[in-house]
Amino acid sequence: MTREPRFDILFEPLKIGPVTAKNRFYQVPHCTGMGWQRPNMLAAMRGMKAEGGWGVINTEYCSIHPSSDDLLCPYASLWDKSDIRAHLMMTEKMHEHGALAGVELWYGGATASNLYTRNVPFDVNSKPSWKGFPFQSRKMDKQDFRDLRQWYKDAALRAKEAGFDIVYAYANHNDLLHNFQRVGTNDRTDEYGGSVQNRSRLLRETIEVLKDTVGDTMAVAVRFSPDDERMKNNQPVTEETREFFMQVAELPDLWDVTAASWDIELGTSRFVNEGGNEPYMSYVKEMTSKPVVAVGRFTSPDTMVNQIKRGVVDMIGAARPSIADPFLPKKVEEGRFEDIRECIGCNMCYTGDQLGIPIRCTQNPTMGEEWRRGWHPENIREKGSESSVLVIGAGPAGLEATHALGKRGYNVMLSEARKEIGGRVAQESRLPSLSEWVRVKDYREQQFLKLPNVDVFLDSKLTAEEALMAEADHIVIATGAKWRSDGFGRTNTMPIENLNHSKQIFTPDDIMAGRLPEGRVVVFDDDYYYMGPVIAEMLQRAGCDVTFVSTADMACSFGVYTTEQPTAQKSLMEAGVKLVFSQNIDAFDGENITLECMYTEQESSLKADAIVMVTARLPTDNLYYELQQLMEDGKAGATKSICRIGDCEAPGPIASAVYSGRLYAEELDDDSGINYSLRRDVNFQD
Ligand code: ADP
Ligand code: SF4
């Protein structure tokens, strides 16, 4: 297919200082959980994006010196020759496909607690890290400024040797350069503090060093927040930031701008929509003649065109859309819009960095597995036999297995008990703020429509005998899981004994099916993710008097890793939900709940008409065990294998279900004998 003319603007080349990007698709720096520790994984993953048509591809934050070490979070580094070699593997792949390679040079200051190198970091003053570790930076002295300039210079030269085309000064996100910029953090009285002129000095010097060192052949970009967080008195300081920006507006070759607040820049789709950054940065283009790039979780090509035509940006910045679909630019170019795997804004990808593990993605199960397992987001090897496969259950696991098996060429029958496909994503996406979850279903559904070898049977709840009657060679059970109502979970490792099992106990499945409690409702959260807060807020807004009781010390504690925790808790509070933390439920007599403090075991009482239990899920695995027994008894006919995947095997996030579907499909008829889990990545030092 040829490109529609209205998208031509996205494919116009753009000059960035001494280099030229082939199109307007710009993968901004984003964390990967790989960094210097996993160079092969990183090279293969970024190389995939180059193949997918991105014009510019950047690294994650890349440390210029060992005194800027952010472990546990895996960052990139340019400290020595081994780093140059590691990055070269990546930049070569980018150049193979005509992409520019950018590196986000980073000095963290107090943010980097140097847990690995044990160096003392320096910063604008002696301040504690916002990350909560019990260390402080030292205040920069004159020698530190000289050292910093030298380190930027050395890192820029290494970047050049490593084949990069763009070099960044990373000047936001509470790191060193940002701390010098902000009135709220810079209390210096020397030439680096006080006036805008003084506070912008370090950024100006850094840009100058980079320009002088490599600016003849490499573009110099700056990552910057053109708004700023509010001061203590809650006054916006945007005017002040504008004044600051005027000092530096023409100095670099490109501006990469994002809202100062992570909650906006990296907000989950629960709280921030596509294009959510615009109000915070739209003035920038008026104030500089240099190209501007900004993110906004853009997945709609029309919105992208609109952003450029309205003069908001020159290039479309993307982190998450490029993770969910590394081939997004190619698909736009070829007019294959229905093939775009749209990001759902869940931020599972960001957990990689926060947990120190390789990146993963809900929509794109191949993300992070390009090197280890050799997976490709668009291609999959042909079937290894003429086998047929029956997939039972059309949730994310069953859908992904069906899609990938179908693409391999197997004859696939997908049987679903309900009248619609989607399983949990269809159900959950009907809850407030989770509507984008449905994209997990939509993408796969679109893909089935093209495959003549895939048959979908709705309203078709199968028993073990009926499953065998399909005479498939392989049976995959993807029947999901149900929320438990008995209180069993991470805290109560047995059902709660003194629970009045009346109609007053509800589960998220009840809520999603429209069976709602009334009056005083306790949402008991032992799950620690989004489901409890979403339901609590929904019921409160529907008129219930809701108390959110959790065994944890905060709401949505897993959201610390996805960035949504503070917003989720704020949202609950603003909705008027009462919050009770560190309490377990000991008993419920239908009117009173007995709570027990997690620390002191002290008991207290709470009046309630109903409880919504958000604790754990029970796999729907009876069909699996029945079929397994029939196999064992030799009564399964010609069936060669029976397997369970997704939540039916082990309940988890949607990303795990999708991954497990993909894994099944990739491994069917794989007789290589390779255990890919054993493939560990290393960076060899000199
Ligand atoms: P996962 O997240 O593992 O994909 P889900 O709970 O989202 O699991 O989806 C499981 C799907 O399986 C649901 O749509 C459910 O209706 C379906 N299902 C459960 N039991 C059967 C059965 N016996 N026959 C067909 N479909 C079933
Ligand atoms: Fe988008 Fe979620 Fe994938 Fe991240 S993990 S890219 S937020 S779908």
Side-chain angles (χ1 to χ4, degrees):
M1 273 224 271
T2 49
R3 185 166 79 221
E4 289 182 35
R6 72 178 200 277
F7 298 116
D8 283 353
I9 198 166
L10 297 173
F11 295 89
E12 283 174 13
L14 185 74
K15 202 163 154 30
I16 310 172
V19 298
T20 301
K22 67 173 179 179
N23 62 29
R24 306 302 178 96
F25 292 92
Y26 190 103
Q27 184 244 274
V28 296
H30 74 74
C31 305
T32 61
M34 296 172 181
W36 60 261
Q37 295 168 306
R38 296 163 180 129
N40 290 290
M41 278 184 153
L42 195 52
M45 185 275 282
R46 300 265 195 225
M48 197 60 80
K49 298 194 193 190
E51 193 185 326
W54 294 85
V56 179
I57 299 163
N58 287 286
T59 64
E60 56 267 72
Y61 60 146
C62 179
S63 171
I64 58 171
H65 188 265
S67 62
S68 183
D69 149 45
D70 204 29
L71 285 186
L72 316 168
C73 300
Y75 53 93
S77 59
L78 266 172
W79 296 349
D80 63 13
K81 280 212 173 312
S82 69
D83 287 325
I84 295 174
R85 279 203 307 274
H87 285 295
L88 259 175
M89 290 195 296
M90 183 174 64
T91 57
E92 277 167 6
K93 285 183 195 295
M94 294 178 189
H95 293 154
E96 246 172 62
H97 297 281
L100 295 177
V103 57
E104 187 185 36
L105 296 187
W106 164 76
Y107 191 89
T111 297
S113 299
N114 298 332
L115 298 175
Y116 177 67
T117 63
R118 302 186 72 170
N119 288 353
V120 173
F122 54 62
D123 208 320
V124 63
N125 47 30
S126 181
K127 67 196 288 288
S129 159
W130 60 271
K131 291 193 170 173
F133 298 121
F135 307 103
Q136 291 194 201
S137 56
R138 72 161 188 264
K139 182 176 175 177
M140 279 178 87
D141 62 20
K142 289 208 181 314
Q143 184 57 40
D144 292 330
F145 284 104
R146 282 192 288 275
D147 286 345
L148 186 68
R149 281 196 289 275
Q150 188 61 44
W151 297 342
Y152 269 111
K153 191 173 173 175
D154 293 344
L157 288 170
R158 289 187 198 112
K160 189 170 175 170
E161 207 180 328
F164 286 106
D165 310 287
I166 300 174
V167 68
Y168 263 74
Y170 185 3
N172 56 358
H173 295 150
N174 305 312
D175 293 318
L176 181 85
L177 295 173
H178 195 198
N179 290 336
F180 271 83
Q181 173 194 329
R182 296 154 87 199
V183 194
T185 47
N186 187 341
D187 60 353
R188 296 181 76 100
T189 51
D190 60 6
E191 68 272 32
Y192 289 97
S195 66
V196 171
Q197 183 80 17
N198 281 357
R199 282 184 286 111
S200 62
R201 190 179 307 278
L202 187 59
L203 179 56
R204 283 187 279 120
E205 284 179 358
T206 306
I207 297 170
E208 267 164 36
V209 169
L210 297 177
K211 281 252 170 192
D212 290 349
T213 313
V214 292
D216 54 337
T217 55
M218 295 172 77
V220 174
V222 175
R223 196 151 223 228
F224 185 77
S225 295
D227 65 321
D228 210 333
E229 282 153 302
R230 283 158 191 261
M231 307 285 287
K232 277 211 182 76
N233 59 6
N234 208 24
Q235 290 302 305
V237 288
T238 304
E239 280 313 314
E240 207 283 330
T241 318
R242 272 180 200 238
E243 220 186 298
F244 184 99
F245 186 68
M246 270 166 63
Q247 301 285 321
V248 285
E250 290 302 312
L251 297 184
D253 300 310
L254 176 130
W255 285 102
D256 172 352
V257 290
T258 65
S261 160
W262 278 109
D263 300 343
I264 308 290
E265 183 198 341
L266 192 56
T268 56
S269 59
R270 281 198 62 200
F271 303 108
V272 180
N273 293 328
E274 185 180 26
N277 271 272
E278 188 178 327
Y280 303 86
M281 50 67 61
S282 52
Y283 77 84
V284 166
K285 251 193 83 59
E286 289 162 22
M287 293 180 65
T288 178
S289 64
K290 306 294 176 171
V292 173
V293 60
V295 293
R297 208 161 55 76
F298 297 114
T299 55
S300 149
D302 285 309
T303 310
M304 296 176 196
V305 168
N306 186 274
Q307 286 276 311
I308 296 179
K309 286 206 165 148
R310 284 195 294 117
V312 182
V313 292
D314 299 286
M315 302 189 82
I316 302 301
R320 289 172 289 176
S322 76
I323 294 166
D325 197 338
F327 279 67
L328 192 149
K330 270 221 162 122
K331 291 174 183 176
V332 177
E333 181 157 37
E334 292 166 7
R336 294 192 290 125
F337 306 118
E338 78 286 358
D339 289 346
I340 294 174
R341 212 182 297 103
E342 288 187 288
C343 166
I344 69 166
C346 62
N347 283 7
M348 194 50 76
C349 47
Y350 189 61
T351 63
D353 177 66
Q354 296 298 293
L355 294 165
I357 50 167
I359 191 168
R360 60 212 53 209
C361 170
T362 300
Q363 273 285 54
N364 174 11
T366 68
M367 175 51 51
E369 297 290 3
E370 299 84 354
W371 175 79
R372 180 165 60 175
R373 293 185 188 273
W375 289 1
H376 190 288
E378 302 305 309
N379 307 327
I380 188 163
R381 80 200 144 86
E382 270 184 35
K383 62 184 177 184
S385 70
E386 291 305 318
S387 297
S388 58
V389 187
L390 169 66
V391 179
I392 305 178
L399 288 174
E400 177 60 21
T402 303
H403 167 221
L405 288 167
K407 232 173 147 178
R408 286 191 65 188
Y410 290 100
N411 283 322
V412 190
M413 294 165 275
L414 172 62
S415 180
E416 166 54 49
R418 295 198 185 108
K419 290 191 170 70
E420 62 169 7
I421 63 166
R424 64 180 287 195
V425 290
Q427 306 286 310
E428 291 182 22
S429 63
R430 293 191 189 107
L431 291 171
S433 76
L434 298 182
S435 60
E436 288 195 22
W437 271 208
V438 83
R439 291 175 171 184
V440 173
K441 168 188 84 79
D442 289 347
Y443 166 71
R444 287 158 184 87
E445 192 171 26
Q446 285 286 351
Q447 302 304 306
F448 292 161
L449 295 175
K450 300 183 189 178
L451 297 172
N453 49 326
V454 170
D455 290 311
V456 181
F457 302 94
L458 294 180
D459 204 2
S460 163
K461 183 170 178 149
L462 296 188
T463 60
E465 289 69 26
E466 285 164 343
L468 291 176
M469 276 160 59
E471 294 185 343
D473 296 301
H474 304 281
I475 301 179
V476 188
I477 322 276
T479 45
K482 291 263 171 273
W483 285 93
R484 299 181 68 129
S485 62
D486 57 7
F488 176 101
R490 71 182 78 241
T491 304
N492 299 300
T493 50
M494 289 288 162
I496 299 172
E497 272 179 28
N498 306 316
L499 213 52
N500 180 335
H501 288 275
S502 64
K503 284 182 285 193
Q504 293 145 293
I505 307 272
F506 294 76
T507 69
D509 290 317
D510 293 319
I511 309 295
M512 288 187 276
R515 196 171 89 79
L516 302 181
E518 287 174 358
R520 293 163 303 182
V521 178
V522 162
V523 173
F524 178 57
D525 190 325
D526 195 39
D527 173 58
Y528 299 176
Y529 199 14
Y530 59 84
M531 187 56 83
V534 166
I535 287 176
E537 206 175 313
M538 171 189 158
L539 294 177
Q540 178 78 20
R541 292 192 194 281
C544 297
D545 176 9
V546 179
T547 306
F548 179 89
V549 175
S550 178
T551 47
D553 297 338
M554 61 177 90
C556 190
S557 59
F558 183 72
V560 166
Y561 308 114
T562 61
T563 73
E564 73 198 291
Q565 191 283 324
T567 328
Q569 187 152 329
K570 181 174 158 208
S571 190
L572 279 170
M573 293 163 97
E574 286 176 349
V577 174
K578 290 181 277 303
L579 303 178
V580 175
F581 294 128
S582 311
Q583 298 286 333
N584 192 11
I585 290 186
D586 190 47
F588 178 50
D589 63 9
E591 203 173 320
N592 291 295
I593 297 177
T594 308
L595 297 176
E596 188 182 272
C597 174
M598 294 289 289
Y599 294 100
T600 63
E601 294 177 11
Q602 198 175 332
E603 289 193 349
S604 60
S605 176
L606 189 64
K607 291 230 171 290
D609 301 310
I611 303 179
V612 182
M613 288 287 182
V614 189
T615 57
R617 285 178 291 155
L618 192 63
T620 313
D621 51 12
N622 50 325
L623 189 56
Y624 170 75
Y625 284 113
E626 281 171 40
L627 282 165
Q628 199 188 41
Q629 193 58 52
L630 289 169
M631 273 289 261
E632 299 254 323
D633 297 344
K635 295 179 183 162
T639 309
K640 293 180 190 139
S641 76
I642 290 168
C643 182
R644 57 183 158 171
I645 61 171
D647 291 317
C648 165
E649 182 185 18
I654 301 164
S656 302
V658 173
Y659 182 82
S660 109
R662 181 73 179 209
L663 187 64
Y664 177 84
E666 292 268 2
E667 288 189 338
L668 186 62
D669 292 323
D670 175 11
D671 49 17
S672 67
I674 300 172
N675 182 350
Y676 291 98
S677 301
L678 290 179
R679 290 196 87 192
R680 278 161 289 180
D681 203 353
V682 280
N683 182 3
F684 291 108
Q685 300 291 301
D686 288 318

